[in-house]
Amino acid sequence: MHLSSFCLFLRACKTTKGSITLRGCHSDVRRFILENTEVVGDQSLTPEIRLRLFTPKCKFWNERPELWPFNDPYWAIYWPGGQAISRYLMDNPEVCRGKAVLDLGSGCGASAIVAKKCGAKHVTANDIDTVAGLVTIMNSELNNLEPPVCVADNMISSEPEPFDLILLGDMFYDETLATTLHAWLDLCIRTHKTAVLIGDPGRAAFEANAIHQHLHQVAQYELPQSVREENYGLSYSSVWRYRPRF
């Protein structure tokens, strides 16, 4: 299934705002994820890590959306912006070594996992979907790492915590969210002088956002062929450092 078809699947899934209540006990949800994902390693910018994701071999790649029991499974795709951030950290571990790191909108937890591998002192993975938190724990175990702290509260617009580094990939897909993010990141930088890295493959909504005039590109990566095919032919993904001029 092409990513465009998969996105239709995502929009059709029944969702609720904020955190969700998992259907069944923790072990049942873990078993469901194990049965309906595949371990993927070498088809990304970071072959050093393995992740449980949706692939064409998985049941719900083509299943009727109404049969999916949880929130939209954005955690089941390793999005190109997150891939770029993770690759950048792998290549430049000093960026997060010894630091308190927040992976915002963490999804499958790849960037949080890489931050742990690169020696971050403390890592928090934040995603409002509690299933994503469980997947992050499972993916950490898959990579023989202690899981990060997984938080399901909506941290955007909350009182900033003293993180040294915030990572966010593929988050500038909606204008309203982008505006809220922009303001909250400014507050984090003003309050704690937090460094911010943004990963994006050059989506139109990101390129057109006002935040773009305050970004400094630090890396660009050519996407693997399979990732290009799943993302409308986008060929590259970049990492940007956000440096607002107050």
Side-chain angles (χ1 to χ4, degrees), residues 24-100:
C25 67
H26 186 281
S27 61
D28 289 338
V29 179
R30 179 183 281 264
R31 183 167 57 252
F32 182 89
I33 293 167
L34 288 172
E35 292 173 351
N36 290 283
T37 57
E38 183 181 16
V39 175
V40 179
D42 58 355
Q43 299 296 315
S44 74
L45 288 174
T46 53
E48 299 94 328
I49 63 171
R50 298 187 298 161
L51 303 167
R52 288 201 162 274
L53 304 171
F54 277 173
T55 75
K57 297 180 182 178
C58 299
K59 173 184 176 182
F60 281 96
W61 190 264
N62 292 303
E63 189 57 272
R64 300 202 317 274
E66 62 270 18
L67 296 179
W68 180 253
F70 308 121
N71 272 5
D72 298 352
Y74 293 109
W75 52 262
I77 294 289
Y78 190 10
W79 301 96
Q83 291 197 32
I85 286 179
S86 297
R87 181 71 266 160
Y88 180 72
L89 294 182
M90 282 286 196
D91 293 342
N92 303 275
E94 70 280 359
V95 171
C96 60
R97 185 181 297 129
K99 297 180 179 178

Side-chain angles (χ1 to χ4, degrees), residues 89 94-103 115 119-124 155 160-167 184-185 188-189 191-197 241-242:
L89 294 182
E94 70 280 359
V95 171
C96 60
R97 185 181 297 129
K99 297 180 179 178
V101 179
L102 170 64
D103 182 7
K121 176 179 65 177
H122 178 81
V123 180
T124 299
M155 296 183 71
E161 297 183 26
F163 292 105
D164 301 307
L165 176 65
I166 294 177
L167 311 171
W184 185 74
L185 291 173
C188 292
I189 294 170
T191 306
H192 299 295
K193 295 182 171 56
T194 304
V196 176
L197 292 177
R241 185 176 295 276
Y242 178 40

